[in-house]
């Protein structure tokens, strides 16, 4: 297949592009490098520097068998200070991309959605029928695109899969996790373990959880990448899919910080800080629908593998 991968200079897009190439597909990697890194684009992909919002460019790229759309802004906290930028970059530009793809007759579209669509009042485990109520413009931007995609599929314009990731983590030797302005717990804790920052803060130690800290679902980026390739295939027989991509297992912030200490063999300061507004006590996926629909099997998402792979990527810096 010929696949257009947007955001392929980023963490999840580059890993997925690499897997597509390894499975014999042709990949065109589109990224404007606003937060991505050119060096992260797989060597065997054709790289196009540009924006998904440039419809003339999308039209000029021609026909693909599928598009996997990772490009976007990703930090929920930034979306609280610059909501307009998030709606432009994540919604308006995605609609321009879709118009170009539809004009070119691209039949399948896989979208990076997020568990942020569920908001902060959640019942665990979260399945796909759980009410959606985003509590940030970031989550809202994902839900707005999902709504548009449902109509496009229903009206026969393009088949679509919205994949709601929980916390992407881990990394591969070729594509370690390296976000600009990192805000994810595991890489921040690894930085503390490496002595590159002054310890790690745990926000909230009085939640109604076994150790009082927030519980989250971490999914290895290699398992995420595999689900995307399967989702492209599944759109041969489905017009529209909405699937959670999580491990189905929750770990508390304290368990993550302890795992980093155990795996790296390092000690570092741990600071207890007040809760952050809008952080749910727990967010854990039901991944049953994704496993059944895609035939997806998790192979890398146990905690020690996630942390060990992330540490080996961090140590390459
Ligand atoms: N990392 C996570 O835990 C997580 C969780 C849920 C959902 N997601 C979603 O997955 C996707 C990928 O996340 P990531 O962690 O790889 O992020 P990332 O920041 O590493 O990658 C995003 C890439 O998109 C590119 N980009 C942004 N706007 C663009 C545009 N208009 N045109 C072309 N390229 C553009 C950036 O340069 C970057 O390379 C995002 O849509 C994100 O919202 C991520």
């Amino acid at each position: 297949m010929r696949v257009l991968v947007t955001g392929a200079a980023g963490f999840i897009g580059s890993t997925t592009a690499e897997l597509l190439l390894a499975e014999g597909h042709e990949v065109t990697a589109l990224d404007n490098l606003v937060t991505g890194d050119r060096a992260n684009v797989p060597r065997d992909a054709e790289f196009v520097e540009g924006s998904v919002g440039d419809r003339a460019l999308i039209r000029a790229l021609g026909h693909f068998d599928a598009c996997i759309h990772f490009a976007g802004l990703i930090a929920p906290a930034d979306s609280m200070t610059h909501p307009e930028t998030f709606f432009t970059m994540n919604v308006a530009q995605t609609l321009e991309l879709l118009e170009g793809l539809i004009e070119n007759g691209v039949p399948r579209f896989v979208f990076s959605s997020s568990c942020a669509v569920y908001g902060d009042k959640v019942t665990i485990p979260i399945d796909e029928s759980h009410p959606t109520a985003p509590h940030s413009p970031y989550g809202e931007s994902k839900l707005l695109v999902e709504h548009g995609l449902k109509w496009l599929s229903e009206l026969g314009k393009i088949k679509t899969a919205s994949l709601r990731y929980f916390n992407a983590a881990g990394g591969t030797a070729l594509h370690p996790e390296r976000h600009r302005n990192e805000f994810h717990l595991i890489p921040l804790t690894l930085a503390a373990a490496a002595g590159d920052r002054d310890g790690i803060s745990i926000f909230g130690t009085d939640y109604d959880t076994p150790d009082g800290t927030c519980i989250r679902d971490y999914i290895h980026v290699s398992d995420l990448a595999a689900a995307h390739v399967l989702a492209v295939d599944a759109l041969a027989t489905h017009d529209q899919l909405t699937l959670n991509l999580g491990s189905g297992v929750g770990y508390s912030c304290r368990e993550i910080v302890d795992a980093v200490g155990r795996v790296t063999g390092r000690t570092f300061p741990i600071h207890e800080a007040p809760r952050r507004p809008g952080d749910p006590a727990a967010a854990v996926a039901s991944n049953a629908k994704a496993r059944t629909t895609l035939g997806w099997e998790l192979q890398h998402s146990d905690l020690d593998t996630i942390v060990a792979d992330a540490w080996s990527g961090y140590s390459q810096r």
Side-chain angles (χ1 to χ4, degrees):
M1 273 197 280
R2 221 179 145 234
V3 185
L4 176 65
V5 179
T6 77
F11 177 45
I12 311 170
S14 60
T15 310
T16 305
E18 201 74 65
L19 180 62
L20 285 161
L21 290 162
E23 295 196 357
H25 302 293
E26 244 177 82
V27 171
T28 297
L30 174 63
D31 202 299
N32 64 2
L33 306 180
V34 64
T35 55
D37 183 352
R38 172 68 181 88
N40 215 15
V41 175
R43 218 184 29 206
D44 294 335
E46 178 200 6
F47 178 60
V48 177
E49 185 172 341
S51 168
V52 299
D54 182 347
R55 204 191 316 167
L57 169 64
I58 304 301
R59 214 184 284 127
L61 290 178
H63 184 267
F64 294 92
D65 299 298
C67 171
I68 311 183
H69 178 42
F70 296 97
L73 300 182
I74 70 164
D78 292 349
S79 80
M80 301 303 276
T81 46
H82 299 291
E84 66 288 2
T85 312
F86 274 69
F87 289 122
T88 302
M89 297 285 277
N90 288 2
V91 184
Q93 298 211 0
T94 296
L95 296 177
E96 293 289 347
L97 168 68
L98 281 158
E99 287 233 39
L101 296 175
I102 290 168
E103 279 179 45
N104 285 351
V106 175
R108 303 181 203 180
F109 185 80
V110 176
F111 172 57
S112 292
S113 187
S114 165
C115 64
V117 299
Y118 296 116
D120 56 351
K121 308 269 180 302
V122 289
T123 308
I124 305 301
I126 303 170
D127 70 18
E128 292 81 353
S129 65
H130 191 290
T132 49
H135 64 280
S136 68
Y138 168 74
E140 193 73 67
S141 74
K142 296 292 182 184
L143 192 58
L144 285 167
V145 172
E146 283 197 15
H147 286 319
L149 294 180
K150 276 194 182 150
W151 280 106
L152 294 178
S153 303
E154 204 166 306
L155 297 172
K157 296 288 182 182
I158 190 165
K159 295 177 171 199
T160 67
S162 293
L163 305 182
R164 296 172 173 171
Y165 323 155
F166 282 64
N167 291 60
T172 60
L174 286 172
H175 303 287
E177 182 167 14
R178 271 183 207 148
H179 288 109
R180 236 175 259 177
N181 303 324
E182 190 57 76
F183 62 93
H184 296 97
L185 178 61
I186 293 175
L188 289 179
T189 312
L190 293 173
D196 293 337
R197 57 180 282 134
D198 173 27
I200 186 72
S201 295
I202 296 182
F203 296 98
T205 53
D206 58 350
Y207 285 97
D208 184 16
T209 59
D211 67 16
T213 70
C214 287
I215 292 176
R216 296 289 179 271
D217 179 321
Y218 295 86
I219 175 88
H220 196 292
V221 68
S222 297
D223 286 331
L224 270 185
H228 285 75
V229 179
L230 292 168
V232 170
D233 289 342
L235 289 178
T237 50
H238 293 80
D239 290 342
Q240 200 278 324
L241 291 168
T242 302
L243 301 172
N244 282 344
L245 297 183
S247 67
V249 180
Y251 292 103
S252 73
C253 291
R254 207 178 284 287
E255 285 176 303
I256 295 295
V257 168
D258 288 349
V260 169
R262 184 172 65 245
V263 168
T264 62
R266 308 277 180 98
T267 53
F268 46 88
I270 300 167
H271 312 293
E272 294 189 356
R275 293 183 183 198
R276 288 181 301 200
D279 269 350
V284 181
S286 161
N287 60 16
K289 188 174 169 199
R291 285 189 288 109
T292 314
T293 310
L294 304 179
W296 181 48
E297 286 174 20
L298 298 172
Q299 295 183 357
H300 308 274
S301 292
D302 62 280
L303 182 56
D304 280 23
T305 303
I306 284 178
V307 174
D309 287 355
W311 178 236
S312 113
Y314 192 91
S315 309
Q316 281 178 33
R317 287 171 184 217

